[in-house]
Amino acid sequence: MSQANPQSAIDNPQSIHAVGFELLGADPSCAARRARLHTPHGSVELPTFMPVGTVGAVKGVEVDRVRETGAQIVLGNTYHLTQRPGEETVAKLGGLHRFTGWTGPMLTDSGGFQVFSLSSSVKVDEQGATFQSQHNGDRIHLTPERSVEIQEALGSDIAMVLDHVPPLPSTRDVIADTMQRSVRWARRCQEHALRDGVSERQSLFAIVQGGLEDDLRQESAEQLVEMEFAGYAVGGLSVGEAPEEMYRAIEATTPFLPQDRPRYLMGVGTPTDLLEAIGRGIDMFDCVMPTRNGRNGLAFTAHGPLRLRNRRHVYDTRPLEEDCPCPACQRSRGYLAHLFRAKEMLGPILLSIHNLTYYQRLMAGAREAIEAGRFLEFKQAKQGDWAKATGEG
């Protein structure tokens, strides 16, 4: 992985990946895969769920507690970090790992989704996106090259290309145009990363776009695969479409992705979504759902959701789950319900930790089921338990 000849690296990008992928096995009854991701900061067992550290912290959860949930890799948001505190500040403080205290693998997104979903008056041209900062009103121009530079400064193990995320629903012409622009931007991200000096510490993942159009998803995947990225994400989903439409889009994409690279479904989602996507060949996930719901009093459990604000929990002496090792489950449902009624900040913290633990336990169970060749049985059993849950917890 020499930095002496960047043009050679551009001609052969496969030779410089800092992240490695080891396929350990697959379930014969579906497309579920058991694999291992190797990064400069350690290995990750796949399938995996990545907690979201929006501004360098998983909201409300101290970094050691994040580790205790079973999380192996976390995500940082480039859009938010470059505005507060700024990537230069993070770099001067030792990079995102030292800055946050997280010593394991980290992935940073490109900022593209936040630009198109959170910023007002976004203007996009071939060069990039121009928008106004939510925080101070500054005018910001984000290009593929700039996105790569920010993520290099942050120092994550995995960086994402900048893509153009279309709103759904959109016309086929709009989706095709944004998909092709995303492919062009991906090439610019790759070339800039390599010309900047080949890094032994960071790899770049591409993002497949194409909305709900099967043929556009295939076209996007095929063009990106030709560029030999270290991994491939399925983007532009979980933006309001029906679950069945999302699953179909995944099925239209994964057959055209290489077997020897990780596959990442961005911004997803519910426990059911995770299992359905694993069965369709996805390896990695991220979503704010566990912590956002935890802050609002909803706990994920093996027997469906529990809403701790409901009065039925006031005198309940049971834990959220009998076999869960998290600190929330060392207390009673009645106590947790009290914390939310009293507006005590410990309630959202404990429930966030529980939900993150639940997601990691679900992933561990999925890995074991794939190894045993019984993933579909595992998925059906879990979904059956959730379906049996009566009423709102």
Side-chain angles (χ1 to χ4, degrees):
M1 294 193 233
S2 172
Q3 298 185 15
N5 186 359
Q7 184 58 50
S8 175
I10 293 171
D11 293 338
N12 184 23
Q14 185 180 9
S15 66
I16 48 78
H17 294 321
V19 169
F21 179 78
E22 182 183 2
L23 184 60
L24 302 176
D27 192 302
S29 62
C30 60
R33 306 171 354 139
R34 177 72 175 91
R36 187 171 292 133
L37 182 70
H38 300 285
T39 83
H41 285 88
S43 297
V44 180
E45 302 299 323
L46 305 178
T48 196
F49 178 84
M50 298 181 285
V52 176
T54 304
V55 291
V58 177
K59 194 176 290 291
V61 185
E62 202 276 326
V63 67
D64 288 335
R65 286 297 194 185
V66 175
R67 291 190 188 96
E68 291 171 5
T69 68
Q72 302 171 69
I73 177 172
V74 299
L75 180 145
N77 287 117
T78 293
Y79 172 88
H80 294 287
L81 287 167
T82 193
Q83 295 188 63
R84 295 182 304 180
E87 74 278 3
E88 292 181 358
T89 299
V90 174
K92 288 179 180 178
L93 291 172
L96 201 51
H97 288 86
R98 185 173 295 177
F99 182 64
T100 63
W102 176 262
T103 58
M106 299 188 80
L107 179 149
T108 46
D109 60 14
S110 67
F113 179 79
Q114 285 76 23
V115 167
F116 299 113
S117 65
L118 298 179
S119 300
S120 59
S121 303
V122 179
K123 294 183 179 179
V124 180
D125 57 26
E126 191 60 28
Q127 287 306 304
T130 303
F131 60 97
Q132 190 173 28
S133 167
Q134 284 183 299
H135 304 294
N136 57 20
D138 287 352
R139 185 177 173 86
I140 298 172
H141 188 51
L142 184 66
T143 66
E145 293 80 9
R146 177 71 180 127
S147 177
V148 167
E149 290 169 357
I150 294 169
Q151 294 180 82
E152 287 177 346
L154 294 174
S156 57
D157 298 271
I158 300 169
M160 303 301 300
V161 302
L162 182 66
D163 58 333
H164 188 173
V165 183
L168 291 180
S170 288
T171 66
R172 179 180 170 86
D173 286 346
V174 167
I175 292 173
D177 181 60
T178 56
M179 182 273 285
Q180 290 292 358
R181 179 173 290 115
S182 294
V183 171
R184 294 191 295 272
W185 283 3
R187 186 177 297 279
R188 285 168 56 189
C189 285
Q190 185 182 65
E191 291 179 351
H192 188 75
L194 296 172
R195 287 202 175 99
D196 227 18
V198 177
S199 173
E200 296 184 359
R201 299 183 302 276
Q202 189 178 70
S203 282
L204 198 60
F205 280 20
I207 304 174
V208 177
Q209 288 291 349
L212 301 177
E213 305 289 336
D214 292 1
D215 60 326
L216 296 182
R217 286 274 170 187
Q218 176 182 345
E219 184 179 349
S220 174
E222 289 176 339
Q223 291 184 73
L224 293 170
V225 168
E226 288 180 1
M227 299 182 209
E228 292 281 2
F229 284 92
Y232 296 87
V234 181
L237 296 175
S238 193
V239 290
E241 77 280 2
E244 294 75 15
E245 292 178 312
M246 178 175 68
Y247 304 153
R248 195 194 75 229
I250 297 169
E251 290 174 351
T253 305
T254 53
F256 301 98
L257 298 178
Q259 286 287 329
D260 63 348
R261 305 293 162 89
R263 302 165 180 171
Y264 164 30
L265 180 59
M266 306 181 77
V268 176
T270 69
T272 292
D273 289 342
L274 267 59
L275 295 187
E276 291 291 346
I278 289 171
R280 290 165 170 83
I282 297 295
D283 306 305
M284 302 169 65
F285 304 89
D286 81 279
C287 192
V288 298
M289 189 169 286
T291 47
R292 178 175 290 169
N293 278 282
R295 293 194 302 275
N296 287 287
L298 185 146
F300 291 101
T301 79
H303 301 289
L306 294 178
R307 289 166 173 81
L308 270 298
R309 298 185 191 274
N310 284 5
R311 291 193 59 81
R312 63 182 294 182
H313 299 299
V314 170
Y315 301 110
D316 198 330
T317 59
R318 295 173 296 168
L320 296 174
E321 291 192 271
E322 293 287 348
D323 59 345
C324 178
C326 84
C329 289
Q330 309 308 307
R331 281 81 167 177
S332 69
R333 297 182 188 184
Y335 175 69
L336 296 172
H338 155 70
L339 293 178
F340 278 93
R341 291 196 308 276
K343 299 183 179 179
E344 164 55 51
M345 62 189 297
L346 182 60
I349 291 171
L350 287 175
L351 226 57
S352 294
I353 293 171
H354 169 79
N355 285 346
L356 290 171
T357 303
Y358 174 79
Y359 269 57
Q360 297 302 336
R361 295 175 72 208
L362 184 66
M363 292 294 97
R367 292 193 294 267
E368 291 176 6
I370 296 168
E371 290 173 359
R374 55 176 186 84
F375 176 75
L376 288 183
E377 177 186 337
F378 171 81
K379 177 174 77 76
Q380 290 163 2
K382 287 293 181 184
Q383 292 174 338
D385 287 341
W386 299 330
K388 284 185 216 173
T390 56
E392 292 190 352

